[in-house]
Amino acid sequence: MKNTIQVGFWEKLARIILKNRITILVILTALTIFLAFQWKNLSMTYTEANLLPKNHIANKDYQKFLDKFGEEGNLIVIGFKDPNFFTPKNYAAWNELMTGLKKAKEVDLVVSLNDLKKLEKDTVNQKFVLAPFIDQSKTLDPSYLKDVQHDLFNNMPFYEGLLFNKESGSVRSAIYMNKKLVNTAERKTFILETLVPKIDKFEKTTGVDLRVSGMPYIRTINADNMKGEIGLFIGAALFTVSLIFFFFFRSFRATFISICILIVGVIWSFGTLGLFHYKITILTAIIPPLIIVIGITNCIFLINKYQQEIKLHSNQAKALQRIISKIGVSTLMTNLTTAIGFATFMITGNDLLFEFGLVTSINVISVYLLTLLIVPIVYSFMSMPNEKHLYHLTKTYISSLLNFVENTVKNKRKVIYTIYGLLLLFSIIGVSQMKVSGSLIGEMPKSASFFKDILFYEKEFNGVMPLEIMINTKHKKGVMKLSTMRKMDELQKTIEGMPELSKPVSVVNLVKYAKQAFYNGKPEYYQLPTSQEQTFILGYAKNATKNSKENLMKAYVDSTGQYARITTFMKDIGTDEMAKVEKKLHSKIDEIFPSDRFEVTVTGKALVFQKGTSYLVDNLIESLIFAILVIAILMLYLFRSFKMVFASVITNILPLCITSGLMGYFGIPLKPSTILVFSIAFGISVDNAIQFMAKYKHDLLQNNGKVKKSVFSSLRETGISTFYTSVVLILGFATFTLSSFSGTIALGGLISCTLAFAMFANLLVLPALVLTFEKKKAKKEDLENLGQ
């Protein structure tokens, strides 16, 4: 009875669609115009991806830090390594560059060689004064600049690691952006229209190669690159799938109809992002090309079925009704499974993945509805396909492929299962070698100039990824106690001894510098004061920085004197190495700072991102299992057979295992981009299994329960669509490898690889499993055939 109701529903739906063609087209046009207007709400993201839920302990710690000290990712560094820099011409150009940047409203503070300050003792007023390090009236004298160079590298230990590398001779300046503007569109304007042109001018004037880095700069250039790739992806995906579609169908009108549907799908996907006011991120940027690649499969299934029906009975009205009533339900199921694969990202608790999962799953269903409506309506206005349009159905290579598949499934099932088992064993060994890795810059384009600059700062200053340690002394003005300073200094010495981290900066550095200044700038006195020296030296230090806008250290102690921060920078190390660094830091912290008197937090963008990667691995494995279960339940509802569901799931788990194994063998780590592969690939690859099973169930009823006949007739009809859609999907996702972002390349390459294995699994393993599970019925049929 239920089957009768289902058939009746889809036949009724077909009649409604074909009777209301003009109305439906008008509604679709109006909806497309509405969504196109939502594009005005689109904008690029100006912050890093936060992979953790808001209530995660690492996010809470980071938010506490931001509440006390504000945005920590506001530093831009500009540096060079050139022994010939200290000349009048180069210094004048550097002075012009830094002075210009200092005047920009987006900049809070510039710490640079040209206006560097040094502490000097004012014995009359019992305070330190900030005196210029360089006498600007003498900068035209080459010998004076050489003296400045010597003095900087030998007598200014306070700035070592912050502004220069004594061993290599590298020098840099620190530009601190306005914390209120650093995560807004004004950051982009400043960097692209002010900073970059000024740097280009300096390099042309002096011939000195400047190295620019820091999170505001990296994020801006990265977002600009990402924006440029959106058009590339859409164009490449549209061209690739259209070319392959035409190659298979050899029909300009079928190709044109499909392209129009895909373009509308792109408009809708961008419109959905704008409607929800979501930002364009590294993930949401790939939604339109994803919709193109996934949407073309619906066109293939419906147009192929339409042409098969025309070839069978040459009745256009009947063919149009059947592509809705026969293919509508199976394509609905395939699109639901694909949408579920994306929707599972919504349960990770991560905002970025929630937005990606929601918008993609909505648009997968939307492009299905578009295809289901537009294909039969447009073809109803056209003449019937001629023999040229139907020729592809009898192509020799397709027939040869299907003959090979049928023969193998019929006579060589043991060979199929042996290969399956060997591939599974191969995969398990590879999976055991997989590693987890995540970094803020790991997904960024390796060929970009800013990436080379990151490597420069890793070598010269041990990185640009901020790592923060916040110390709560639990008492007002507790930071300025000498005992607290000594504890902080001991921790800083531990950090200095870790090759993964840069020289740390805190209020301790200022206090050491104060003692050096008190003893007339002698570098050997760059150390913490003794208890006898503490009172008057710290008094001098407080007076020196009072009411000074250029007080670099005011950002390292809060207004109450209860909280202090130690800032260091880390290299782009993997998750495992970061865990070791964190463990070593916590071990030292526990040793130095008693928990009853201090509360010490290790945080920072880099650490939050690393923890986010580990969190994603755990949660996306759960979401993959959830996706498999939900899809299995949907298939059970459709087919009412545990055997059929089990065969479909087993068939499509193998490609995921093979891809995992290959990742292990080739050293491709689990990271935010590669983790996404499995849920997406499973949701898509199981589509072909559903198409086959739906046809098999239909033919089983038509053939009075004859298993073999139904399996091979289903294989013949769905095999063409399986081959076409798989090839299109494989090459469509392969267009993502055109990206300069390693994460996007990995995503496209691995999904293509998975779908390639899934194609052969659905063509060979699935029908073989069905015959094996129905072995008794098949043998009974063979005996009946022999008796006849």
Side-chain angles (χ1 to χ4, degrees):
M1 184 71 182
K2 189 158 281 191
N3 288 334
T4 307
I5 293 171
Q6 283 184 344
V7 170
F9 168 77
W10 287 98
E11 287 181 340
K12 185 177 180 181
L13 180 64
R15 287 196 294 270
I16 292 171
I17 291 172
L18 294 171
K19 280 183 179 180
N20 299 279
R21 297 176 298 174
I22 302 299
T23 304
I24 291 171
L25 288 177
V26 169
I27 292 171
L28 291 178
T29 302
L31 189 57
T32 303
I33 293 170
F34 168 75
L35 289 171
F37 273 107
Q38 302 307 309
W39 285 32
K40 67 180 184 293
N41 300 321
L42 291 174
S43 62
M44 302 296 295
T45 183
Y46 294 102
T47 58
E48 296 93 355
N50 190 339
L51 304 178
L52 292 170
K54 289 179 181 177
N55 61 352
H56 192 279
I57 184 65
N59 262 344
K60 287 182 177 179
D61 286 344
Y62 185 56
Q63 191 56 51
K64 285 179 184 176
F65 171 83
L66 294 180
D67 291 341
K68 286 293 174 187
F69 295 103
E71 172 63 43
E72 41 101 35
N74 65 327
L75 172 65
I76 299 174
V77 287
I78 303 174
F80 55 86
K81 184 180 179 181
D82 191 330
N84 300 316
F85 171 80
F86 288 88
T87 64
K89 178 187 175 184
N90 292 345
Y91 178 81
W94 181 261
N95 189 35
E96 181 185 347
L97 170 64
M98 291 300 143
T99 303
L101 292 176
K102 193 174 182 179
K103 290 178 181 177
K105 64 180 176 62
E106 297 87 355
V107 174
D108 268 352
L109 177 67
V110 174
V111 182
S112 179
L113 176 67
N114 62 303
D115 62 352
L116 204 60
K117 299 296 187 291
K118 62 179 179 179
L119 285 179
E120 290 184 348
K121 185 171 59 173
D122 181 352
T123 53
V124 175
N125 297 305
Q126 293 190 337
K127 69 173 184 177
F128 296 118
V129 294
L130 290 169
F133 176 63
I134 295 177
D135 185 346
Q136 300 297 333
S137 65
K138 298 180 181 179
T139 55
L140 295 178
D141 182 358
S143 62
Y144 173 73
L145 290 177
K146 289 295 180 185
D147 291 339
V148 166
Q149 182 181 12
H150 179 271
D151 196 19
L152 176 69
F153 284 103
N154 293 283
N155 298 323
M156 303 290 283
F158 172 71
Y159 292 109
E160 185 178 354
L162 179 65
L163 293 186
F164 67 86
N165 181 328
K166 185 176 180 179
E167 293 181 3
S168 69
S170 298
V171 177
R172 68 178 180 180
S173 61
I175 292 94
Y176 292 88
M177 284 195 67
N178 186 318
K179 292 179 179 180
K180 294 178 181 178
L181 303 179
V182 74
N183 289 324
T184 69
E186 290 184 59
R187 182 195 76 205
K188 174 188 172 184
T189 304
F190 166 70
I191 288 173
L192 296 182
E193 298 180 13
T194 302
L195 180 68
V196 172
K198 286 182 180 296
I199 287 171
D200 289 342
K201 180 183 177 183
F202 174 88
E203 290 182 330
K204 287 177 182 177
T205 302
T206 64
V208 175
D209 182 21
L210 291 186
R211 306 288 189 157
V212 189
S213 197
M215 295 314 299
Y217 179 79
I218 292 171
R219 295 202 307 255
T220 302
I221 304 300
N222 201 44
D224 203 49
N225 290 342
M226 182 172 66
K227 186 178 180 181
E229 288 196 352
I230 295 174
L232 171 68
F233 284 153
I234 293 173
L238 200 59
F239 175 77
T240 302
V241 299
S242 302
L243 190 66
I244 300 166
F245 186 94
F246 180 77
F247 176 77
F248 285 150
F249 285 89
R250 300 298 170 94
S251 168
F252 283 107
R253 69 180 184 181
T255 306
F256 180 74
I257 293 168
S258 301
I259 290 173
C260 289
I261 291 171
L262 297 179
I263 290 173
V264 173
V266 169
I267 294 171
W268 283 25
S269 61
F270 276 127
T272 310
L273 283 170
L275 186 64
F276 291 139
H277 292 269
Y278 289 160
K279 302 287 185 182
I280 296 176
T281 65
I282 188 70
L283 281 181
T284 55
I286 65 172
I287 292 176
L290 271 175
I291 295 305
I292 290 172
V293 174
I294 293 168
I296 195 69
T297 60
N298 295 318
C299 298
I300 289 173
F301 277 121
L302 267 70
I303 293 174
N304 190 60
K305 178 63 176 175
Y306 172 67
Q307 293 181 350
Q308 285 177 338
E309 290 291 329
I310 292 294
K311 186 175 179 64
L312 186 66
H313 49 68
S314 300
N315 186 328
Q316 187 179 33
K318 187 177 180 181
L320 291 171
Q321 188 176 55
R322 281 195 171 181
I323 65 173
I324 300 172
S325 61
K326 301 296 183 185
I327 296 296
V329 64
S330 59
T331 48
L332 173 62
M333 287 299 298
T334 59
N335 282 275
L336 276 176
T337 56
T338 302
I340 288 168
F342 287 106
T344 53
F345 298 137
M346 296 168 62
I347 64 172
T348 60
N350 173 263
D351 289 345
L352 182 72
L353 287 175
F354 179 88
E355 293 173 6
F356 174 68
L358 176 64
V359 174
T360 310
S361 54
I362 287 173
N363 281 280
V364 166
I365 299 302
S366 298
V367 80
Y368 157 73
L369 293 173
L370 269 174
T371 312
L372 187 67
L373 295 171
I374 291 177
V375 168
I377 288 175
V378 171
Y379 269 109
S380 70
F381 289 109
M382 294 181 171
S383 59
M384 282 202 308
N386 55 36
E387 284 299 318
K388 181 183 72 174
H389 299 138
L390 306 179
Y391 173 71
H392 71 95
L393 297 172
T394 56
K395 281 181 182 175
T396 306
Y397 72 87
I398 290 291
S399 299
S400 300
L401 174 65
L402 294 177
N403 289 336
F404 167 77
V405 169
E406 185 176 327
N407 181 60
T408 306
V409 170
K410 190 181 291 184
N411 304 311
K412 298 178 181 179
R413 290 200 290 278
K414 287 184 179 179
V415 175
I416 292 173
Y417 298 148
T418 301
I419 294 172
Y420 187 109
L422 289 173
L423 286 172
L424 195 59
L425 180 64
F426 166 86
S427 303
I428 291 169
I429 296 169
V431 168
S432 66
Q433 300 175 28
M434 286 181 71
K435 294 181 179 180
V436 178
S437 177
S439 73
L440 274 172
I441 64 172
E443 307 282 1
M444 295 177 183
K446 303 293 186 293
S447 58
S449 59
F450 73 81
F451 194 86
K452 295 172 185 175
D453 290 349
I454 290 172
L455 297 181
F456 169 82
Y457 282 103
E458 285 198 350
K459 180 182 177 183
E460 298 296 329
F461 296 95
N462 278 22
V464 292
M465 304 294 109
L467 184 69
E468 301 283 353
I469 300 171
M470 185 170 71
I471 301 163
N472 177 8
T473 63
K474 299 184 179 180
H475 296 287
K476 288 185 177 181
K477 299 184 179 179
V479 173
M480 301 311 292
K481 288 183 178 179
L482 188 58
S483 58
T484 304
M485 294 273 185
R486 285 173 177 165
K487 291 178 184 298
M488 291 174 65
D489 189 37
E490 187 177 348
L491 179 57
Q492 289 189 202
K493 286 176 181 176
T494 300
I495 294 172
E496 284 187 49
M498 299 172 72
E500 301 89 353
L501 302 177
S502 69
K503 184 178 178 180
V505 181
S506 75
V507 68
V508 171
N509 300 64
L510 176 62
V511 175
K512 287 182 176 182
Y513 190 27
K515 180 172 178 178
Q516 180 189 356
F518 186 80
Y519 288 101
N520 301 315
K522 295 178 180 179
E524 60 267 26
Y525 287 100
Y526 183 73
Q527 56 190 244
L528 285 175
T530 63
S531 53
Q532 291 83 6
E533 297 165 327
Q534 177 188 7
T535 304
F536 52 86
I537 288 181
L538 290 185
Y540 270 53
K542 288 176 184 176
N543 292 333
T545 57
K546 194 179 293 182
N547 301 321
S548 173
K549 185 191 174 186
E550 297 185 354
N551 176 14
L552 175 62
M553 289 295 108
K554 68 181 179 181
Y556 290 89
V557 182
D558 81 317
S559 59
T560 66
Q562 180 176 328
Y563 291 85
R565 69 189 274 199
I566 299 173
T567 298
T568 182
F569 295 91
M570 58 184 284
K571 293 181 178 179
D572 181 32
I573 55 178
T575 304
D576 292 342
E577 289 300 313
M578 185 62 233
K580 292 177 184 176
V581 168
E582 189 182 4
K583 184 179 179 181
K584 189 172 180 179
L585 284 174
H586 278 296
S587 176
K588 192 65 178 177
I589 288 167
D590 293 341
E591 176 189 328
I592 299 171
F593 296 94
S595 58
D596 59 326
R597 291 164 48 204
F598 297 91
E599 182 184 343
V600 183
T601 306
V602 181
T603 186
K605 278 187 169 65
L607 184 64
V608 171
F609 190 88
Q610 298 275 6
K611 288 184 179 295
T613 301
S614 300
Y615 174 86
L616 273 190
V617 171
D618 295 337
N619 281 267
L620 286 175
I621 289 172
E622 291 176 11
S623 69
L624 174 61
I625 295 169
F626 178 75
I628 292 171
L629 288 174
V630 173
I631 289 169
I633 291 168
L634 277 174
M635 293 173 71
L636 185 63
Y637 172 78
L638 181 66
F639 301 130
R640 299 292 196 276
S641 168
F642 282 103
K643 288 180 180 179
M644 293 171 76
V645 172
F646 184 69
S648 300
V649 172
I650 287 294
T651 298
N652 287 283
I653 282 178
L654 175 64
L656 302 184
C657 295
I658 294 173
T659 301
S660 302
L662 289 174
M663 288 174 66
Y665 284 117
F666 289 105
I668 302 171
L670 274 175
K671 52 185 180 179
S673 53
T674 55
I675 292 168
L676 302 178
V677 168
F678 302 102
S679 293
I680 295 174
F682 182 79
I684 295 173
S685 67
V686 80
D687 292 355
N688 288 324
I690 290 173
Q691 291 287 354
F692 172 81
M693 286 301 194
K695 178 61 180 169
Y696 169 67
K697 183 184 178 183
H698 174 268
D699 287 3
L700 206 59
L701 293 172
Q702 297 290 320
N703 297 324
N704 298 317
K706 291 183 179 179
V707 174
K708 281 192 171 181
K709 185 177 180 181
S710 301
V711 166
F712 293 119
S713 64
S714 303
L715 193 56
R716 281 280 167 186
E717 181 168 324
T718 62
I720 297 173
S721 293
T722 296
F723 177 72
Y724 284 178
T725 56
S726 296
V727 171
V728 168
L729 285 167
I730 290 164
L731 295 178
F733 276 106
T735 59
F736 286 14
T737 60
L738 296 173
S739 174
S740 58
F741 293 86
S742 60
T744 310
I745 294 170
L747 180 71
L750 289 172
I751 291 179
S752 293
C753 179
T754 307
L755 294 178
F757 287 116
M759 177 178 70
F760 291 105
N762 283 305
L763 285 173
L764 294 168
V765 179
L766 181 58
L769 283 173
V770 172
L771 288 174
T772 300
F773 289 160
E774 302 291 355
K775 198 172 184 179
K776 288 183 180 179
K777 287 184 181 180
K779 278 188 176 181
K780 188 177 178 182
E781 290 171 18
D782 289 341
L783 289 173
E784 288 175 358
N785 291 334
L786 285 173
Q788 293 174 2

